[in-house]
Amino acid sequence: MGAGRLVGVMLAVAGAVVLWMGLKAKDSLAERASEALTGRYSERTTLYLAGGGAAVAGGVLLMLLGGGGRRRR
């Protein structure tokens, strides 16, 4: 496994954890009340969801495309 793919796996796992934290925060009672009053999620929850999703997507791309090929001499 190349270094790029290993970094991709680590990034995807970390992103999945952050995304899971965002989904759990979205379902909290305080977040539901805030969303009902303002019509949107808090900034922290939005950052967790967006950042986690971006990290998962970037990690998957690195796993698929990163580190493949021959070594250069």
Side-chain angles (χ1 to χ4, degrees):
M1 182 180 283
R5 291 186 183 180
L6 182 62
V7 171
V9 169
M10 293 184 333
L11 185 62
V13 169
V17 169
V18 173
L19 184 61
W20 178 77
M21 289 171 48
L23 290 173
K24 293 301 265 187
K26 180 182 75 129
D27 291 334
S28 72
L29 181 61
E31 189 66 34
R32 285 184 182 186
S34 174
E35 196 264 333
L37 292 174
T38 63
R40 57 186 168 161
Y41 296 121
S42 69
E43 186 176 335
R44 173 178 268 174
T45 301
T46 303
L47 286 175
Y48 280 158
L49 293 171
V56 168
V60 168
L61 283 175
L62 276 175
M63 282 190 288
L64 294 176
L65 303 175
R70 292 185 281 178
R71 289 186 163 218
R72 297 180 187 185
R73 293 182 186 205

